[in-house]
Amino acid sequence: MGQDVSGARVVVGVDGSPSSHAALHWAVRYAGLIGASVDAVAAWELPGMYGWSAPAVDADFDEEAARQELVQELRDVLGEQGAASVRALLVRGHPADVLLRAARQADLIVVGSRGRGGFARALLGSVSQQVAQHAHCPVVIVRPEAAG
């Protein structure tokens, strides 16, 4: 998406789940139709960050390695050329909060219906539900493509 004439921006949440991969494909296709840029946003937070425990320190977390994994995930899902058209953002914080902040000035936010955690029978994941309820822009919730 070399020339962004419209200035439109689409934010898409990425967490490695099939649902987020479907959302990523949808966001890139839509952005191509309207000439928008795409920000693929992944969130990370340390365990115990919000609680009465001592400050969380994860000696095993390597932010640069996580950033490279995000870039590789974009390549795996979109191919080299598709990934080159997307800006990868790795942000510390709760996923719903991170996505809502990233989408403050966006024209659209796209999320998968289910992330990596939670209950398999739930209709929406907690992050997609929070984003749908609190976003300042339109929200698209994408279900993963059916296998088989």
Side-chain angles (χ1 to χ4, degrees), residues 45-109:
E45 64 182 339
L46 299 174
M49 212 165 114
Y50 305 105
W52 290 98
S53 65
V57 176
D58 187 350
D60 294 331
F61 184 78
D62 181 344
E63 188 172 352
E64 187 53 38
R67 192 175 320 283
Q68 292 304 317
E69 287 176 22
L70 173 59
V71 170
Q72 187 58 50
E73 179 179 354
L74 296 177
R75 286 183 187 131
D76 292 346
V77 173
L78 300 172
E80 196 69 41
Q81 185 176 359
S85 70
V86 175
R87 184 169 71 146
L89 302 171
L90 178 67
V91 182
R92 181 178 176 178
H94 183 273
D97 294 336
V98 165
L99 288 169
L100 289 167
R101 279 193 316 268
R104 275 264 158 88
Q105 302 300 320
D107 296 280
L108 180 73
I109 184 168

